[in-house]
Amino acid sequence: MGDDNSIADAARVSYGKGTRSASDNRNLIRYLVRHKHTSPLEMVEVKFHLKLPIFVMRQLVRHRTASLNEYSGRYSIMSDDFYEPSEEYIQPQSKFNNQGRGGEMPDTWKEKYAQTINEITYKCQVAYKNLIGYGSVSHGGLARELARIVLPVSNYTECYWKMDLHNFFHFCQLRMDDHAQQEIQDYAKVMYEMVKPEVPIASEAFEDYSLNSISLSRMEANVLQYVFNTFPEKQHASGFVQSITSYLKKVQKAEDVTFDMSKREWKELEEKLK
Ligand SMILES: Cc1cc2nc3c(=O)[nH]c(=O)nc-3n(C[C@H](O)[C@H](O)[C@H](O)COP(=O)(O)OP(=O)(O)OC[C@H]3O[C@@H](n4cnc5c(N)ncnc54)[C@H](O)[C@@H]3O)c2cc1C
C-alpha cells in the first residue's frame, strides 16, 4: 500500500502539498533516506503471503515491527512440504564463521547428507501422520497440537506478514546480507525485488545510502585520516607504489601510533574498504 508519492506527500504535510515534479520527489526522498528522516517511509506498507520452512519463519519473527498471522498446527494438519537443500547449498560448517557454512565437500558426501536428510524427513512425516490417525477410520488419533512435535523445522508453514517500508528496508539490510543464513537471504532478496518496482525512488535511495554504503566508527575514521595524511609521504619515501591496503596493514602493526582497535575491527575495516 502506498508508493513514492505517499512518502513525499507525508514529508511535505508540514508546509502544504502544492504541485511537485517527479525530480522534486526524488530529491526529497533521497534527502529523507540520507538523513534518516524515516517516518515518511512508514506511510508505505508491504504485505506478503509467505510459505516458508519453520526454521526460516523463526528468523522472520525476530523482526518485531511486522504484523503477522501464521498457519495453525493446532487447528490444521501440517503441510506435506519439507525443505531439502539443493546440492550447492550442502556445505560444511564454515571454518571462519561459527554462524554459517562455507567451503566445499566431496560430491559423495553431499549425496550422503542429502539422503540422510531425506530419509529422516520422510520418517518424521510418516510418524506425524500415524499419530494424527491420518486416513484411519478406527480412531481420531492424537491431538494435532501434540502430534506436530515430531515434525522437523524444515516443514513448511504459511503466514501473512505486513510491515512498513522503513522497517522493511531494515529487514532487507539485515537479511539480504552475506552474514544472514542463505535460506532467509533468498526470501529477503525475492521480497525486496517484488517491492522495488512499487517504490523505485525510495529503493534507489535505500541502496545508495544504506544497503551499499559503509559506516565508520570514530577509530576507523581516525585510521583513514591518518592513512590519507601519511600515505603519499610514505609512498614517496619508500620509492615504490604500494597499495592503500598493504599500507593499512603496516599502520596496524606500527608501534609509534595506536588506534585502540581489536584485530577483528581491523579486519572489518579492511572488509569495508574492499
Ligand atoms: C546475521 C544475523 C544473526 C543473528 N543471530 C542471532 C542469534 O544468534 N541469536 C538471536 O537471538 N538473534 C539473532 N539474530 C536476530 C537479531 O538479534 C535481531 O533480533 C533481528 O535481526 C531483528 O532485528 P531488529 O531488532 O533490529 O528488528 P525489528 O525487531 O524489526 O526492530 C526494528 C527496529 O525497531 C526497534 N525496536 C523494535 N523493538 C524494540 C524494542 N523492544 N526496544 C527498542 N527498540 C526496538 C529497534 O530500533 C530495531 O532495530 C540475528 C540476526 C542476524 C541478521
Side-chain angles (χ1 to χ4, degrees):
M1 190 195 81
D3 56 17
D4 285 326
N5 290 325
S6 325
I7 300 170
D9 287 350
R12 287 199 185 100
V13 74
S14 51
Y15 54 86
K17 193 174 164 191
T19 311
R20 296 289 170 178
S21 68
S23 71
D24 285 342
N25 277 0
R26 184 167 183 273
N27 288 337
L28 174 59
I29 291 171
R30 289 177 73 77
Y31 176 88
L32 295 171
V33 174
R34 197 161 65 245
H35 293 278
K36 303 198 191 312
H37 294 186
T38 49
S39 54
L41 272 74
E42 294 169 28
M43 296 300 154
V44 177
E45 287 194 319
V46 298
K47 184 164 80 173
F48 294 90
H49 182 183
L50 297 165
K51 180 166 179 174
L52 68 178
I54 290 169
F55 71 91
V56 179
M57 182 76 198
R58 282 179 67 170
Q59 297 180 340
L60 188 81
V61 295
R62 297 306 307 276
H63 296 270
R64 296 158 290 177
T65 46
S67 303
L68 69 93
N69 285 104
E70 190 185 356
Y71 186 87
S72 169
R74 299 180 70 198
Y75 280 111
S76 312
I77 295 175
M78 291 302 288
S79 95
D80 279 338
D81 297 323
F82 294 85
Y83 172 73
E84 292 188 20
S86 57
E87 200 189 302
E88 73 269 22
Y89 277 14
I90 300 183
Q91 286 181 286
Q93 176 62 38
S94 167
K95 288 195 172 67
F96 309 104
N97 173 9
N98 288 339
Q99 244 191 353
R101 66 194 89 166
E104 273 303 321
M105 62 167 69
D107 285 350
T108 47
W109 292 17
K110 287 188 180 191
E111 281 162 27
K112 187 103 188 73
Y113 284 126
Q115 194 188 348
T116 306
I117 290 172
N118 179 272
E119 283 169 8
I120 292 176
T121 303
Y122 180 70
K123 281 181 187 161
C124 293
Q125 189 182 10
V126 170
Y128 173 70
K129 290 210 161 159
N130 284 340
L131 286 171
I132 59 171
Y134 189 78
S136 161
V137 282
S138 58
H139 68 103
L142 183 66
R144 289 187 282 274
E145 67 178 8
L146 278 177
R148 65 178 170 173
I149 67 176
V150 300
L151 288 171
V153 288
S154 59
N155 191 203
Y156 275 81
T157 180
E158 267 181 58
C159 70
Y160 273 92
W161 188 85
K162 182 179 72 110
M163 197 176 241
D164 68 60
L165 189 66
H166 163 55
N167 284 295
F168 179 68
F169 282 161
H170 175 67
F171 161 78
C172 292
Q173 178 103 38
L174 292 175
R175 299 300 182 175
M176 296 199 303
D177 189 86
D178 283 351
H179 295 91
Q181 176 156 356
Q182 186 60 55
E183 284 77 7
I184 197 164
Q185 275 187 52
D186 292 345
Y187 274 88
K189 284 174 185 169
V190 170
M191 290 159 80
Y192 179 65
E193 288 306 320
M194 288 170 77
V195 168
K196 204 171 154 174
E198 307 297 327
V199 277
I201 298 176
S203 301
E204 183 199 35
F206 162 63
E207 289 179 26
D208 289 346
Y209 298 121
S210 190
L211 186 66
N212 301 317
S213 74
I214 54 168
S215 64
L216 299 175
S217 67
R218 176 181 60 78
M219 293 80 78
E220 287 172 333
N222 285 345
V223 169
L224 290 192
Q225 198 167 30
Y226 178 83
V227 164
F228 287 129
N229 286 341
T230 57
F231 180 61
E233 187 190 311
K234 293 277 175 194
Q235 198 185 26
H236 181 71
S238 63
F240 62 90
V241 178
Q242 53 180 320
S243 71
I244 287 260
T245 330
S246 62
Y247 182 53
L248 198 66
K249 281 195 173 30
K250 282 191 182 144
V251 171
Q252 181 184 353
K253 287 181 190 139
E255 283 172 3
D256 54 337
V257 54
T258 53
F259 294 96
D260 196 20
M261 288 198 344
S262 66
K263 266 190 185 165
R264 187 168 190 163
E265 285 175 297
W266 279 99
K267 202 166 169 10
E268 284 170 6
L269 176 58
E270 226 176 274
E271 289 293 319
K272 285 181 192 179
L273 298 177
K274 266 184 188 164

